[in-house]
Amino acid sequence: MTVRSISLADHGRNADELVSRCAQDLESVGYFYLRDVPDGFDHEGFIGRFGTLTAQYGGTRIWDLKPEQGMDHLYHSKNTQALVPHTECYEFPGEPPRYLALWCIQPAEGEGGATTLADGNELLAELSPSEVEQLRTRSYTFTSSEGLRHQGVEITNRHPILEPRPDGGLILRFSYNNTSPMTDPFLRGFLERGHEWFGERHFPVTIERNGLLLWDNHRMVHSRTAFSDRRRHLRRALLATAAGAASDAVEAGRSKVPT
Ligand SMILES: O=C(O)CCC(=O)C(=O)O
Ligand SMILES: [Fe+2]
């Protein structure tokens, strides 16, 4: 599958039109990818049209995704290693933020460093009604990833993998490596299946400099490929469309993060 994209050069003359063009892709395919973005573009202002920027782990609203010293042995977004399929903030106490935005300051040179995405609706469509029912009724424990725990952020909450939203939509929470108990055969089976599905159905997006990728975090599963260029630098923002839950979780994590 190839990535769909919108060129700002073609659609950038009118900001409202651009937002509605992006919103169309977001609704139909679960993401939009904006290319040909000039230097000086106000990424924060633009993504603010889709939701409210929420504080992330440690309180920051914009998270720098850049390899850090001493992180390479951990499972963490701030290193050069591949990640496994996940949705973001599955361990937050309430609804995870609805949208996740990444924009690129400096792409990785050479192999790797693609952000990978797959549409969770495809996975759900493959499941039997009884499997869907189990995903909605069984609760599992979701915990912050190893790298965050290393930084003093440890959030744990129990949730079903599939949860209805008040507006009639669904929230998919997926973490291949931070859901428990792994002794549960249903959970193991589902995670293995999801991992395999992601391997077959994901598409890579190598975000170009200034490019902006924004997706529905209640629907899309994401990951990334390993890379070697330590200058790779993306910025990440989380957007909430309903008040409350996301920022509460961050408050819980904030006090533990060394500044
Ligand atoms: O580095 C990337 O491309 C994505 C990392 C990631 O999973 C995230 O920012 O949530
Ligand atoms: Fe992520």
Side-chain angles (χ1 to χ4, degrees):
M1 196 187 290
T2 52
V3 62
R4 198 154 140 158
S5 66
I6 298 168
S7 167
L8 196 139
D10 297 340
H11 296 274
R13 279 175 298 276
N14 178 319
D16 289 341
E17 260 174 53
L18 181 64
V19 168
S20 88
R21 179 70 191 75
C22 291
Q24 272 169 27
D25 273 11
L26 188 55
E27 174 63 28
S28 60
V29 290
Y31 68 93
F32 70 79
Y33 174 44
L34 194 59
R35 289 183 293 110
D36 303 327
V37 178
D39 285 346
F41 182 75
D42 179 11
H43 292 85
E44 274 184 60
F46 186 73
I47 62 176
R49 302 284 299 266
F50 296 86
T52 310
L53 265 82
T54 63
Q56 306 188 40
Y57 305 102
T60 174
R61 277 151 49 105
I62 307 293
W63 175 269
D64 280 298
L65 270 172
K66 204 169 184 304
E68 283 181 355
Q69 291 304 326
M71 287 291 182
D72 283 344
H73 65 295
L74 298 167
Y75 179 86
H76 196 41
S77 62
K78 294 192 181 199
N79 65 24
T80 61
Q81 311 295 316
L83 299 175
V84 294
H86 62 283
T87 57
E88 211 62 33
C89 306
Y90 41 74
E91 81 279 32
F92 277 21
E95 270 190 23
R98 177 73 192 271
Y99 300 121
L100 192 159
L102 293 179
W103 63 98
C104 180
I105 309 297
Q106 171 80 40
E109 258 175 41
E111 290 287 294
T115 305
T116 52
L117 284 172
D119 185 351
N121 285 347
E122 285 182 8
L123 174 63
L124 300 183
E126 285 181 7
L127 304 177
S128 69
S130 120
E131 286 169 317
V132 170
E133 181 60 16
Q134 295 190 66
L135 292 177
R136 290 173 65 137
T137 51
R138 293 171 176 240
S139 281
Y140 291 106
T141 302
F142 292 86
T143 308
S144 307
S145 68
E146 186 184 36
L148 289 167
R149 295 200 301 271
H150 180 78
Q151 290 185 307
V153 177
E154 185 159 359
I155 304 172
T156 293
N157 277 290
R158 277 174 74 76
H159 298 290
I161 288 172
L162 215 49
E163 188 181 355
R165 234 180 12 225
D167 70 355
L170 274 179
I171 300 168
L172 170 66
R173 289 186 178 85
F174 190 92
S175 168
Y176 183 65
N177 60 352
N178 291 300
T179 319
S180 56
M182 285 302 278
T183 46
D184 179 318
F186 177 77
L187 177 65
R188 278 177 82 106
F190 175 72
L191 292 178
E192 285 311 327
R193 184 164 177 180
H195 191 266
E196 205 173 297
W197 159 80
F198 189 86
E200 285 163 10
R201 299 296 302 165
H202 74 267
F203 51 92
V205 189
T206 302
I207 309 175
E208 66 181 26
R209 201 168 88 85
N210 294 335
L212 169 68
L213 176 66
L214 185 149
W215 68 82
D216 185 340
N217 182 50
H218 291 180
R219 167 175 170 182
M220 306 299 282
V221 178
H222 72 278
S223 190
R224 71 140 185 254
T225 60
F227 54 97
S228 53
D229 182 358
R230 300 189 73 88
R231 293 168 306 171
R232 180 185 191 259
H233 185 186
L234 306 182
R235 290 208 163 118
R236 181 177 79 190
L238 305 173
L239 300 167
T241 51
S247 46
D248 294 346
V250 172
E251 289 301 328
R254 190 204 303 269
S255 55
K256 298 184 193 161
V257 177
T259 47

